[in-house]
Amino acid sequence: MNENITALYKKSFIEAVILANKELYTYINTNLSSKDYEYTNTTGFGGDNSLKIDLIAENIFIKYLKDFGNIYSEECGLLSTNKEFTIVIDPLDGSNNFYSNLPYYGTSVALQKDEITIAGFVTNLVSALVIYRAFDEEIKQISLFDLKEKEFKEVNKTKISIFERAYKYPFLCEKLYDNNIKFRSLGAVALSLCDAKNYDFVLYCGNIRNFDIAAALYINKDFYIYKTDESLLISKNKDKFNLIKEFIKEE
């Protein structure tokens, strides 16, 4: 599939995603006002009450990416231009964290062709790092400070796992506790899934939305992945993966 995409398109798309994140990062750190924390009392396509910052972020991504394909965003839904590519966007992953000044939020962008993801970008807007895999290349990390590639810091032995929306699944929480598995629920699904390399596993249960998972799944496509209609498990640890998968099946 990637053979038919021009080198110019690939290069330009990667640059556009990074520049969109750079502009959003700059806005948050230099132009943010109290009004940006206000709810608009409008329900976005994803079903949540949109903050003003959600719409600001979405408009930034639309500005940079609309020429590359159809836009499918958590806030506005599908903006179709009848192009062969579709760009799936969560313009502010972890909106509730942002609203509460909890420093764990970011963005997620996935490029798809024929509903197959061919590039994924997840950005942590606190650490200013973009992690991406594009067009079957290796995973890369870019700093929004200087737009230069950075080396990954390897976590050789992790001590925790991530269970997003754990509060809704007491049975699974009890199973993890009984097996002495420490976990956290951080509140920004795309960020947590993307960072699966740092943890024993990342588990996400509930309403599985493409905005939340498309980019991270592509980035970590070499890991062990188990997906159902209501759960997604990613792990680099085969034994832990098999154990948690059995817990999910018992739920």
Side-chain angles (χ1 to χ4, degrees):
M1 179 180 293
N2 292 329
E3 290 79 4
N4 298 324
I5 305 173
T6 66
L8 177 60
Y9 180 96
K10 293 177 182 179
K11 181 176 183 293
S12 299
F13 181 76
I14 292 170
E15 290 177 350
V17 176
I18 293 172
L19 289 175
N21 278 290
K22 173 70 171 179
E23 181 169 325
L24 178 56
Y25 175 80
T26 301
Y27 179 88
I28 288 173
N29 286 280
T30 61
N31 296 321
L32 197 65
S33 72
S34 59
K35 292 184 178 180
D36 295 323
Y37 288 87
E38 295 176 358
Y39 283 101
T40 61
N41 295 320
T42 58
T43 302
F45 186 81
D48 298 324
N49 189 358
S50 300
L51 293 169
K52 286 188 176 180
I53 189 63
D54 288 315
L55 303 183
I56 290 169
E58 181 177 73
N59 287 332
I60 289 173
F61 280 106
I62 290 174
K63 178 178 71 173
Y64 279 91
L65 302 179
K66 62 183 179 181
D67 292 337
F68 293 94
N70 312 305
I71 301 291
Y72 184 44
S73 175
E74 183 181 15
E75 303 305 324
C76 69
L78 180 64
L79 297 178
S80 177
T81 52
N82 297 314
K83 295 182 179 178
E84 61 178 323
F85 299 103
T86 296
I87 304 154
V88 181
I89 303 170
D90 185 347
L92 187 58
D93 176 43
S95 294
N96 289 333
N97 287 355
F98 177 88
Y99 180 81
S100 303
N101 288 325
L102 195 163
Y104 189 71
Y105 51 86
T107 72
S108 176
V109 176
L111 178 66
Q112 297 186 333
K113 184 177 182 182
D114 299 324
E115 299 184 354
I116 297 173
T117 303
I118 55 177
F121 302 73
V122 175
T123 300
N124 186 319
L125 289 172
V126 178
S127 65
L129 290 173
V130 184
I131 296 176
Y132 74 95
R133 184 200 293 264
F135 313 108
D136 290 328
E137 297 293 331
E138 294 298 315
I139 300 173
K140 296 181 180 180
Q141 182 172 246
I142 300 291
S143 171
L144 293 178
F145 292 129
D146 54 15
L147 302 183
K148 293 182 180 179
E149 187 172 347
K150 303 297 180 182
E151 291 185 9
F152 286 97
K153 294 181 180 179
E154 295 293 333
V155 178
N156 295 322
K157 188 175 182 181
T158 183
K159 292 185 177 181
I160 61 170
S161 301
I162 305 299
F163 183 4
E164 292 291 5
R165 297 189 180 167
Y167 55 87
K168 298 182 68 174
Y169 296 86
F171 170 80
L172 288 173
C173 291
E174 185 175 357
K175 295 291 288 186
L176 296 177
Y177 176 80
D178 289 344
N179 284 268
N180 297 314
I181 297 173
K182 295 181 179 181
F183 65 90
R184 306 288 186 269
S185 188
L186 303 178
V189 173
L191 284 185
S192 294
L193 291 171
C194 178
D195 288 338
K197 65 183 181 301
N198 297 326
Y199 313 116
D200 267 344
F201 64 85
V202 177
L203 174 60
Y204 168 39
C205 291
N207 180 23
I208 306 294
R209 308 179 307 176
N210 208 24
F211 313 110
D212 298 315
I213 69 172
L217 276 179
Y218 184 75
I219 292 169
N220 289 326
K221 64 180 182 176
D222 298 329
F223 286 5
Y224 299 102
I225 297 173
Y226 176 70
K227 183 178 179 297
T228 71
D229 290 339
E230 296 185 354
S231 63
L232 174 61
L233 172 66
I234 301 180
S235 179
K236 61 184 179 182
N237 184 319
K238 184 177 182 180
D239 291 336
K240 195 60 65 69
F241 173 80
N242 288 332
L243 177 65
I244 305 306
K245 184 169 69 172
E246 291 306 311
F247 293 164
I248 295 171
K249 291 179 178 179
E250 294 175 24
E251 171 70 18

